[in-house]
Amino acid sequence: MTVPTATALDAETPGAAAASAAPRPPAGKSALAHIGASFAMFRNRKSLTGLAILGFFVLLAVFGDLIAPYGPLEKDYSALKQPPSWQHLLGTSHMGEDIFSQIIYGTRGVLVVGLLSGVLATAIAVAIGVTAGIVTGWKSESLSALTNVFLVLPGLPLMIIIASQFEDPSLLLIAAVLALTGWAWGARVLRAQTMSLRNRDFVQAARANGEPLGRIITVEMLPNLMAIIASSFVGTVTAAVLGLTTLAFIGVIPITNLNWGTILFWAQQNGAFPDYWWWYIPAGLCIALLGMALSLINFGIDEYVNPRLRSAGERSRALRKKGMTARGAVTAVRTAPGAPGRGTASSASSPASGTADSPTRQENL
């Protein structure tokens, strides 16, 4: 008995040779596709718009020394409370300080505190939330109780009490205070999602193979939690920015920590409302724009995480490519091949429309 060779098998099996000769994608391409899939949450219009606005503020913070025409505390006593002009684009304060330069320099403090607070709060939320979700018994209940305590604590009074204990708190200390009061919500969400993941088949298989708990968390669970972690990070940064400007506006943070809230504080203290609009409206608009940018990024991440929102977004984008809107119902009437056109005598003499013998059919797009 002779064993058929591979060439003979390919000749006998239709398409086998073509399948074996088909080019395989290079390894580098699959790696790039995996990296691209990690950033798929930032591909929709909401996320791109939010990233563009956030990138604008990041450029202001990084290159503020080159963009600002004056120093943040440089005074021009010949121009006190002057409206916007070519010399001072956003007017001046009661001491002749350029508002435009103060806003540019204040951007750096806002972003530094927001990002540091977001990183610290997210790290605490991941450590406590994932651990509380993977362990069982009294350990899980204790971590859950700790999270619940920080959830019900009043955030703003606690921030005021802690920040007021220091005469000149640094940006790192302010970020730590904001992170201490803002990690609990992310930890609660991560705990619930981790409890759902720990009963999945791939996690149970890893446990059956004897893999250590640390590897199960870092390799098996964290990649499936990255979208939720990103959403928690963006939400924490938003809360930290609002908390920083609130603390500066009410005078808890010293005036040496220049930010947008400090500008609003001095505007209120010197009676800028409502006549000297250039003193407080630009700072308020910057806070609103940064909050909107972070919210748009968060909406984009939510659309990526939620399967229903993701499928609805993909369907809407597909309809827009065809020149249609997702909200409009369009009914296209197509004539069957070989049937007489609409408006002829044969179609008019049809006894009933919509039956099996009707030459036309309706298709809802």
Side-chain angles (χ1 to χ4, degrees):
M1 179 179 181
T2 60
V3 179
T5 61
T7 307
L9 289 176
D10 292 342
E12 294 175 2
T13 306
S20 61
R24 295 181 180 180
K29 187 176 180 181
S30 60
L32 291 177
H34 180 71
I35 295 175
S38 301
F39 292 92
M41 64 184 73
F42 301 115
R43 291 179 182 175
N44 52 43
R45 292 184 179 180
K46 295 179 182 178
S47 296
L48 292 178
T49 304
L51 288 174
I53 299 174
L54 181 61
F56 170 75
F57 284 114
V58 170
L59 291 178
L60 287 182
V62 174
F63 301 103
D65 298 333
L66 302 176
I67 299 175
Y70 304 96
L73 301 178
E74 184 178 346
K75 298 175 176 58
D76 183 7
Y77 293 105
S78 62
L80 303 180
K81 292 186 178 180
Q82 294 297 314
S85 62
W86 289 111
Q87 187 177 4
H88 301 282
L89 296 179
L90 292 179
T92 60
S93 65
H94 68 295
M95 299 293 291
E97 299 163 340
D98 187 65
I99 303 298
F100 179 67
S101 301
Q102 287 189 346
I103 288 178
I104 292 177
Y105 278 97
T107 305
R108 184 176 303 172
V110 171
L111 291 184
V112 167
V113 171
L115 292 177
L116 283 177
S117 178
V119 170
L120 293 175
T122 304
I124 298 174
V126 170
I128 294 181
V130 175
T131 305
I134 195 65
V135 299
T136 57
W138 66 271
K139 298 178 181 179
S140 177
E141 296 299 330
S142 300
L143 293 175
S144 177
L146 178 65
T147 304
N148 293 334
V149 168
F150 276 88
L151 275 176
V152 299
L153 282 178
L156 184 59
L158 183 61
M159 287 189 292
I160 294 174
I161 293 173
I162 297 177
S164 60
Q165 301 301 315
F166 302 89
E167 295 182 359
D168 191 8
S170 62
L171 294 180
L172 180 60
L173 179 60
I174 297 173
V177 171
L178 294 173
L180 183 64
T181 59
W183 62 268
W185 178 254
R188 169 61 63 186
V189 176
L190 287 172
R191 177 181 180 270
Q193 187 65 22
T194 305
M195 292 179 66
S196 174
L197 286 176
R198 73 183 183 186
N199 296 322
R200 302 287 178 87
D201 294 338
F202 61 92
V203 176
Q204 296 296 331
R207 285 181 172 178
N209 290 333
E211 295 184 4
L213 180 61
R215 188 182 185 280
I216 293 177
I217 294 176
T218 56
V219 178
E220 303 293 343
M221 288 190 169
L222 284 184
N224 295 281
L225 297 173
M226 287 307 298
I228 298 178
I229 293 174
S231 178
S232 175
F233 171 77
V234 173
T236 305
V237 173
T238 306
V241 169
L242 295 177
L244 172 67
T245 53
T246 301
L247 292 177
F249 179 71
I250 63 180
V252 176
I253 297 178
I255 59 175
T256 53
N257 293 325
L258 183 64
N259 57 73
W260 299 335
T262 309
I263 299 174
L264 295 177
F265 169 77
W266 283 115
Q268 182 196 28
Q269 292 295 317
N270 293 276
F273 302 95
D275 298 330
Y276 306 106
W277 58 267
W278 59 86
W279 200 347
Y280 56 88
I281 286 183
L285 285 178
C286 288
I287 297 173
L289 281 176
L290 183 58
M292 183 185 71
L294 295 173
S295 298
L296 287 175
I297 296 174
N298 205 2
F299 291 156
I301 297 175
D302 288 341
E303 182 177 327
Y304 176 80
V305 174
N306 193 328
R308 292 184 178 180
L309 293 178
R310 184 168 65 249
S311 60
E314 293 175 354
R315 190 182 306 113
S316 176
R317 286 189 288 271
L319 289 175
R320 282 197 299 266
K321 288 182 180 180
K322 296 180 180 180
M324 297 177 291
T325 60
R327 297 180 180 179
V330 181
T331 302
V333 180
R334 299 181 181 179
T335 304
R342 289 180 297 174
T344 60
S346 59
S347 61
S349 61
S350 177
S353 60
T355 60
D357 297 333
S358 178
T360 61
R361 60 188 180 90
Q362 292 185 349
E363 180 179 355
N364 292 326
L365 297 182

